[in-house]
Amino acid sequence: MLSPIARSADRVVVLISPMGEDLKRSYALIKRIAMENLHVPMSIVVVGAADGAQALRAADTLRDVAREHLGIPLQYLGSVFVPGVCRASLLASENRLAPAGVADSPA
């Protein structure tokens, strides 16, 4: 069940990782939000991708699956890159991420 704060939101932004199991967990969260009948716009931001191409592939995959199986659109807002930081470092720090920069989403 979602918190009262989540239920009162007028937009939901889900941070996703481009890795396979992480994408599955992100989809499960998006599905849970959709199943609780929160009819709010949902957006995604990819965190921890190696580059813009990997981030876009992850976003496209999740958008396609959400559209096909849940009938909901997901807006891709962009990616957060941390130069010189690999996924293992992110996991070791329990994903406490201080973004070094934000890449613009494609036009």
Side-chain angles (χ1 to χ4, degrees), residues 4-103:
I5 293 172
R7 292 183 151 286
S8 66
D10 60 356
R11 168 171 292 283
V12 174
V13 177
V14 179
L15 302 179
I16 69 168
S17 164
M19 306 307 168
E21 286 300 313
D22 296 334
L23 275 177
K24 289 179 186 177
R25 283 191 285 275
S26 297
Y27 172 76
L29 174 61
I30 290 166
K31 181 178 178 180
R32 189 171 116 205
I33 293 167
M35 299 307 278
E36 291 205 28
N37 294 321
L38 292 183
H39 300 291
V40 297
M42 281 196 255
S43 302
I44 54 176
V45 174
V46 180
V47 178
D51 55 34
Q54 183 187 35
L56 191 54
R57 281 191 305 274
D60 285 345
T61 297
L62 195 54
R63 288 190 303 180
D64 291 347
V65 170
R67 185 175 30 253
E68 181 179 337
H69 296 284
L70 302 175
I72 59 171
L74 296 176
Q75 179 184 11
Y76 176 51
L77 296 180
S79 303
V80 177
F81 296 98
V82 182
V85 177
C86 68
R87 183 171 186 272
S89 297
L90 294 176
L91 292 176
S93 67
E94 300 175 352
N95 290 326
R96 292 188 195 134
L97 187 59
V102 177

